[in-house]
Amino acid sequence: MNRKITLLTLGAALIAVPVLAAPGGDRNATQTRAEVQTKAAEMFAKLDANKDGKLDTADRAAKRAERQAKMFAKLDADGNGSISKAEWDQHGADRAAKRDERRAEAGEAGKGKRHGMRGHHGKRGGHHGMMMGKADTDGDKAISQAEFQTAALARFDAADANKDGQVTPEERKAQREAWKAKAGEWRAKRGAAPTGE
């Protein structure tokens, strides 16, 4: 079960990226279907760590190992292959300073808020898990490039309200609002289920 949830969370979070982000990360840009196809192909190539043509738990493990190696290298400031207490303490101080800087930039309005996507998928895959289930059309617990591409284009088509082959910032915003509403409904149902409803 845990393995399935992990895979669901990985794939869904990654499949959503090509549609939710406009070219160059500009939320004010209009995005075409062709751009989504290109972005999905690039994203798939980046995520397919072992280059076996599918996204699965092996890719997630490879990405996790890569992140851990980068983090170790960052912590091991003197490059001697071990992390001293001083290096650990310095890392903590650096993180605290960056956090304080972000809070100061955000002002009081941002105080206590977390980054927008953190916690979005929940402990069991949540909304992203549902998206992953839809993307894995053959049920093999892996996402092929074709499935990845199809899921990205399906989300684009759903966001393209006027069916003109482009998704505007307004259409993206409307799609995000619809997803938030669905996620809220899902959470409400999930929270109500243990009480016998």
Side-chain angles (χ1 to χ4, degrees), residues 21-30 169 172:
D26 181 3
R27 287 188 175 197
N28 295 321
T30 297
R172 260 193 305 283

Side-chain angles (χ1 to χ4, degrees), residues 104-148:
E105 288 173 4
E108 285 300 310
K111 198 168 193 173
K113 289 187 179 181
R114 299 191 74 148
H115 183 271
M117 291 302 286
R118 284 190 190 148
H120 184 65
H121 50 76
K123 291 180 181 177
R124 300 197 176 202
H127 179 65
H128 292 304
M130 292 183 286
M131 290 188 327
M132 175 66 171
K134 290 178 183 178
D136 184 15
T137 56
D138 62 8
D140 68 350
K141 309 286 188 275
I143 301 296
S144 69
Q145 185 166 10
E147 288 172 324
F148 190 88

